[in-house]
Amino acid sequence: MAERDEPTGALVRPYAVTRGRTKPKLEIAIEALVETTVRGRAANTRPGGTHGQEQQYISTLCDGRLQSLAEIAARMQLPLGVARVIVADMAADGLVAVYEPTSLDENESVGTELLERVLSGLRRL
């Protein structure tokens, strides 16, 4: 999908994209990583597929490159809640795999290298 074909929140009202739903089928953390599955790739290439523009864009965006839920929302210029509903629907349909972050024990801490990489990624957005 070309850059000019990117869906934008300015063109479509968020509630129209999710058909009025505000609660996702699955709870997905903002930092969860999303990857297109084999089924998602096949659905994306099928002519006359039943998936909307947003689902096709997410499938293309996450094909071969893990993207966080926050990155997907930012690239689509949609509110995080709307992106969460779309990705959760796609995960429930087996079109994407969602990798939730592991929780840290009280005694563990996040290394500064990881935090610097996250900060660098956010600045690139």
Side-chain angles (χ1 to χ4, degrees):
M1 186 177 278
E3 283 188 15
R4 69 178 186 280
D5 293 333
E6 290 182 16
T8 63
L11 298 177
V12 178
R13 295 215 182 259
Y15 66 83
V17 173
T18 62
R19 290 180 231 97
R21 291 181 308 120
T22 57
K23 295 210 180 234
K25 291 180 180 178
L26 309 165
E27 284 302 318
I28 301 173
I30 188 172
E31 68 274 15
L33 298 177
V34 180
E35 178 180 38
T36 303
T37 62
V38 172
R39 183 176 182 181
R41 281 193 282 287
N44 202 27
T45 59
R46 195 174 305 137
T50 59
H51 300 291
Q53 179 180 358
E54 292 81 16
Q55 290 86 349
Q56 290 176 350
Y57 181 74
I58 291 170
S59 289
T60 301
L61 181 67
C62 299
D63 189 9
R65 181 168 180 238
L66 293 173
Q67 298 285 316
S68 72
L69 179 63
E71 290 173 304
I72 292 168
R75 290 182 190 280
M76 294 182 71
Q77 298 177 0
L78 285 173
L80 183 61
V82 173
R84 184 176 276 134
V85 169
I86 296 169
V87 170
D89 287 351
M90 292 178 72
D93 291 340
L95 302 174
V96 296
V98 176
Y99 304 103
E100 291 286 348
T102 58
S103 60
L104 297 174
D105 291 337
E106 283 182 23
N107 298 331
E108 292 183 49
S109 63
V110 176
T112 55
E113 180 184 338
L114 173 62
L115 292 175
E116 288 173 4
R117 288 190 348 233
V118 169
L119 183 59
S120 173
L122 290 173
R123 285 185 179 141
R124 281 184 275 154
L125 290 176

